[in-house]
Amino acid sequence: MECERALERSADADSLQACLNFIRSLSHVPTFHDDVVSCEKEFNQTTQAQRVALISDFLKYVLAREDAMTSRADVMSDIAALISSTQHGLGRVKSIVADLKTFSRLDDGPPGSFNIDDGIASTLAMIDHLARDKSIILTHKRGLTSNYTCQGARLNQVILNLTTNAISATESGGRVIVETRETPRGPLMQVSDTGSGIAPEHRDRIFEPFFTTKPRGEGTGLGLSISLQIVEDHRGTLSLESTPGAGSTMTIQLPPREPSTSGP
């Protein structure tokens, strides 16, 4: 089975989760409901290596039951449709893996030519489910005209931190916009939300390590301090504009591109 072979080749958390989601989709078929509940319970109690074997065995079991129940046209129609949808799921897993590679490359390496908007797109693809879960519209507005010399994965980390915070602060039905544009001072990136905003008494502390306004256990208080350090390492600035009850905008201003040293 293609899903099984793909799982064995790429046993990362996202691959396992994609296959588990497929198995969950079988729960509406009466024949498999109890089996799915049992599988998910065991999945949550096992190690990563054990989960690979568990998912693989369950998918084999689904196919075996399919072969044994060819006379159950009503059930098999559902199963056939669900199994065919696995191919779409595997395509999504492949896309996630590609996004992770874009997100993480150049992490510790020297600065290089990087397409910031492409990096943002890959980062947002990784956390789009957070917005969907809250019915938040997550938008990326591209505005940069050329690559920029930087440590791309580190800037991706900043966008990840800022956008995750924005989604967390935004109520269901709100908007989060990640926008880039060229300015005379250099490339600019903004993450804006229609969330709750930041209280005036907290604004001077948001970049302090371990400071957080999230409920206990929901935040480390390191995301913004790390983001500030990364931006400053790029000789840029990170600033906040916020109105309580109306949302916030975090702005990253990078320095101008360095003149090309290549000949005519």
Side-chain angles (χ1 to χ4, degrees):
M1 180 178 182
E2 182 59 29
C3 183
E4 177 192 337
R5 291 196 293 270
L7 180 61
E8 291 170 348
R9 290 194 300 269
S10 180
D12 54 63
D14 289 304
S15 298
L16 289 173
Q17 189 61 49
C19 288
L20 180 62
N21 289 342
F22 165 72
I23 289 173
R24 285 172 176 161
S25 71
L26 293 171
S27 63
H28 82 281
V29 180
T31 306
F32 290 107
H33 179 271
D34 292 344
D35 296 322
V36 170
V37 172
S38 177
C39 178
E40 185 169 1
K41 181 178 180 180
E42 188 173 351
F43 183 92
N44 292 328
Q45 297 174 345
T46 56
T47 65
Q48 187 84 342
Q50 292 170 328
R51 288 173 175 178
V52 174
L54 174 66
I55 294 294
S56 178
D57 288 345
F58 192 89
L59 293 174
K60 290 178 183 177
Y61 166 73
V62 169
L63 284 184
R65 294 294 296 272
E66 177 184 1
D67 293 339
M69 297 185 301
T70 53
S71 62
R72 292 285 302 277
D74 53 340
V75 174
M76 294 319 303
S77 176
D78 286 337
I79 295 296
L82 289 168
I83 289 178
S84 66
S85 72
T86 305
Q87 295 301 322
H88 174 75
L90 288 173
R92 176 59 181 150
V93 170
K94 183 178 180 180
S95 176
I96 290 171
V97 172
D99 289 334
L100 285 168
K101 290 179 179 178
T102 300
F103 176 84
S104 62
R105 70 171 180 259
L106 304 177
D107 193 15
D108 297 317
S113 179
F114 186 71
N115 188 310
I116 291 176
D117 272 318
D118 283 353
I120 290 174
S122 294
T123 302
L124 297 188
M126 292 171 54
I127 59 174
D128 180 63
H129 66 283
L130 298 178
R132 292 198 310 271
D133 288 347
K134 296 180 65 176
S135 299
I136 292 170
I137 299 174
L138 178 59
T139 304
H140 176 201
K141 296 182 178 181
R142 292 173 173 256
L144 300 181
T145 58
S146 60
N147 286 7
Y148 187 78
T149 301
C150 61
Q151 289 180 296
R154 299 188 75 203
L155 289 185
N156 285 349
Q157 181 66 53
V158 174
I159 295 298
L160 178 74
N161 292 344
L162 299 186
T163 308
T164 301
N165 283 350
I167 293 172
S168 177
T170 302
E171 296 295 328
S172 176
R175 298 181 64 93
V176 173
I177 299 173
V178 183
E179 181 176 7
T180 64
R181 61 178 181 271
E182 302 286 357
T183 76
R185 296 174 56 195
L188 181 142
M189 295 172 275
Q190 288 186 318
V191 179
S192 303
D193 64 68
T194 58
S196 55
I198 299 175
E201 62 269 24
H202 293 154
R203 292 181 192 173
D204 291 338
R205 301 191 61 195
I206 62 170
F207 295 114
E208 292 180 12
F210 304 108
F211 176 78
T212 180
T213 59
K214 296 179 180 178
R216 186 171 183 174
E218 292 187 13
T220 64
L222 291 173
L224 287 180
S225 61
I226 291 172
S227 297
L228 177 62
Q229 183 62 57
I230 292 172
V231 173
E232 290 182 341
D233 286 347
H234 284 81
R235 298 180 294 111
T237 61
L238 177 59
S239 59
L240 164 73
E241 295 179 14
S242 184
T243 301
S248 302
T249 297
M250 300 294 296
T251 300
I252 304 164
Q253 178 67 65
L254 296 175
R257 292 174 176 80
E258 297 179 359
S260 174
T261 57
S262 59

